[in-house]
Amino acid sequence: MRRKKRGGMANVIPIITLFFLIIATTFPPPFAAAISSSNGGKKRESIELNGGPDDLVWVVQLSDLHFSVHHPKRAHDFREIVGPTLSFINPSLVLLTGDLTDGKSKDHLTMKQDEKEWIEYQQVMRDVIKRSGLNERIFYDVRGNHDNFGVPILGGKFDYFSKYSVSGKLQRSEKVNSVTIQTSKRKLLFVGFDSTISPGLRGPTNLFGHPTDELLTEISSELSQWDSQTSQPVTKVSFGHFPVSFSASSNSGKTLQDIFHKHSLDVYLCGHLHKKFGKNLKRHHYSNSKKLIQLNGHRTPPKNASNSLKADEFWEWEMGDWRKCRAMRVVAIDRGHMSFTDINFELGSKKTIILPTFPPDSRFTLTSAENYKSGTADLSSYGAVRALVFSASPIVSVLAKIYDTSSGNLIVVMDTQMTKLVGHRGDLYVAPWNIQAFEDPSPERYVLQIEATDIMGRSTVTELRPFSVNGIPAKLRWTWKEFFVMGCQWDSLYYTIIWCFYFLMFSILLLPKILLSLSKRPYTYKKFKASKGIVKGLAWIFTEFYNVRVVWFGMIVYLFYLVLCPWFYGHVFTEGKEWGYMTYRGWVLRLNDVGKVDFIGFPDVMVVVLAHLCLVILPAIFAIMVLAAESGVYRDYLLSHISKKNDDYDGQSKESVSRNNFINGRRWLRNFALLVLLAICWKHSKNCVALMKAYDMNPMVHFPVYSLAIPMLLAYTVWKTR
């Protein structure tokens, strides 16, 4: 009997195995990744989605991880939170947009590669991928500037990204990689690129993206791969590390914006800036909005724009950082409508994540998004509110609530239960509505909120999202910090700022000097006091300033030195004996093949140059002028009292009393100016110490003029005006 049982079980096992093989063949997994080779052998990956929800794709973005040997909690939290969270989100792609490691010393002053951090990154990613249960091939990581500190050559000894990253392991060696997600109704093209500077300088002068003409050509080629090969609509998304505002133009003057506009990109996902600059680091780009400054991030369509036509526009969405904010983003494309939610894990993991996909947030819509009134609109796709609900526990209830804010209060105008649609890849909940009931010229009158409750009784509520069924954009106003980092095109502004600074400086140092020489009229404090006037007052102040001749002439010479000569010499790579010198135009490492100087690190050097010009030299000149003018007032005060006759007591005694009274009660302006000079010297010394550690320099040997000129001029001014 025992033998029969064993024999029966032995016969059953092959049958069960065959059964599961048939099931696996008949019903494929949620996605199947296949690599096709085209474009001269370049790898273009594709993912074909099977199972519902139909025509709905979501991806996860993480950025600025900054794994550090000095801050192990960043990697620990990433391992413990991200893997389990990805397991119930089940995204089609996971994008890691740069600054995977920190590359900084404990005092943040030395910035170069540390292999220990990369080994930790590799180990953490292995664990995250394993715990998520996702296919390794859907993970795409790209370099950030921190991943490039001090890397002399890609593929070399210190190029740890190629050795330890997910992309390196999967042999994605190109600087541009693309993957296409195919649904039953559209293609979604994702193009990632690495625009870090090559060779990679040490920080702090490694801050900008540097897309070359070759890189822009590759990006253009990848974005256009489906333009003539498909009748299906194509949604195009690009991802990289640097925002457009921190991306320099190529040698021919082309920019990322030019390429994105040319190929009708929908969204550019990036990192780099961190949430310390603000939460609204998003920017809408029109083809005719390529300018030095953009005051706000919201969509401001031109008068001739039409909703029924594909507009030449794209959104740029910078996300927060994992480094401090523990941020993750989920982006969804629902029948062409794009939406996202940012999750903050600072307080720990989340059990439920909700992403409303329709109606889209009116702050982040495109002009080209379909209006339900347009002749091409599919009315059936507008008949329900839709939301993705990701949860580690079963969901028992999902409510859709719409509020009317026109009265200044939140008035509920719709409160309905949402129904779950059956799907293999994720849980989509829908609630029917009458879209025409929410027509309004204001894009912020109606707001949507989704509330989900799991089997444990835990409730999760989304933020209030404004929407407009008419396609009218809502305002997205920046704070001054958000404008500073997103609204200014810094590579174009850099030279403008420098020459404006020099115009101001020489307007102070030379122009009044020439005018005073031509006028041949003496200007003193006594004459200014007798007949007050702005012109006479300025003429007197400049006269006193020019009387400190050594400082006046020394400042002119120093300003010319900063334009014509190297600022300092230092090591720019992680290791090695190669030196370079820095000018206001960038670093020079060696001469090119034709014997000319090649500058690299423009406009990255602005972090050193503008800080020195605006925070050291400019306040130093104004403080010197204050000391010189105050010295003139003091001299006039003493002379006027000494010249008076002594009626009641000895003149010497009166002079002593006058001097003491002035010093104790009226020289407060000098004391204040001396405090300002001390602050300037403190700031300058901090800059010098930072540069010493950043580039392994000795201030007396490698940058004596930069380090000593300003302190010596200030010390002479204090002595001369005593």
Side-chain angles (χ1 to χ4, degrees), residues 163 265 273-274 278 436 479 639 708:
K163 184 176 180 180
L265 188 78
L273 294 179
H274 301 199
Q436 296 177 341
T479 63
L639 291 175
L708 299 178

Side-chain angles (χ1 to χ4, degrees), residues 617-665:
I617 295 178
L618 183 62
I621 288 179
F622 284 117
I624 290 169
M625 293 176 68
V626 170
L627 282 174
E630 191 276 342
S631 178
V633 175
Y634 177 48
R635 183 176 61 252
D636 180 80
Y637 181 85
L638 290 180
L639 291 175
S640 64
H641 280 68
I642 292 172
S643 63
K644 289 184 179 180
K645 293 182 178 180
N646 183 7
D647 295 331
D648 300 323
Y649 51 88
D650 181 71
Q652 181 64 31
S653 175
K654 182 173 182 179
E655 178 188 345
S656 178
V657 171
S658 300
R659 181 187 294 269
N660 290 335
N661 287 342
F662 191 90
I663 292 174
N664 294 330

Side-chain angles (χ1 to χ4, degrees), residues 5 20 25 55 103 115-116 167 323 359 381 496 516 576 657 675 713:
K5 286 183 178 179
F20 279 110
T25 307
D55 201 11
E115 190 171 12
K116 294 178 182 178
S167 294
R323 177 177 177 264
S381 65
T496 303
L516 289 172
V657 171
L675 286 176
L713 290 174

Side-chain angles (χ1 to χ4, degrees), residues 282-345:
K282 290 90 180 173
R283 179 181 176 185
H284 183 267
H285 295 262
Y286 262 106
S287 59
N288 60 355
S289 66
K290 187 181 175 183
K291 45 194 175 185
L292 299 181
I293 291 176
Q294 183 173 316
L295 297 178
N296 281 294
H298 53 253
R299 174 161 66 93
T300 52
K303 295 179 180 180
N304 59 351
S306 172
N307 284 352
S308 61
L309 298 176
K310 176 67 177 176
D312 196 0
E313 58 174 340
F314 70 92
W315 269 103
E316 176 185 6
W317 293 341
E318 199 274 353
M319 75 162 293
D321 56 287
W322 182 266
R323 177 177 177 264
K324 282 191 175 181
C325 297
R326 303 297 191 263
M328 173 191 284
R329 171 175 291 166
V330 183
V331 180
I333 303 97
D334 185 2
R335 301 161 301 170
H337 298 286
M338 299 198 68
S339 56
F340 69 91
T341 184
D342 289 337
I343 308 107
N344 188 315
F345 292 104

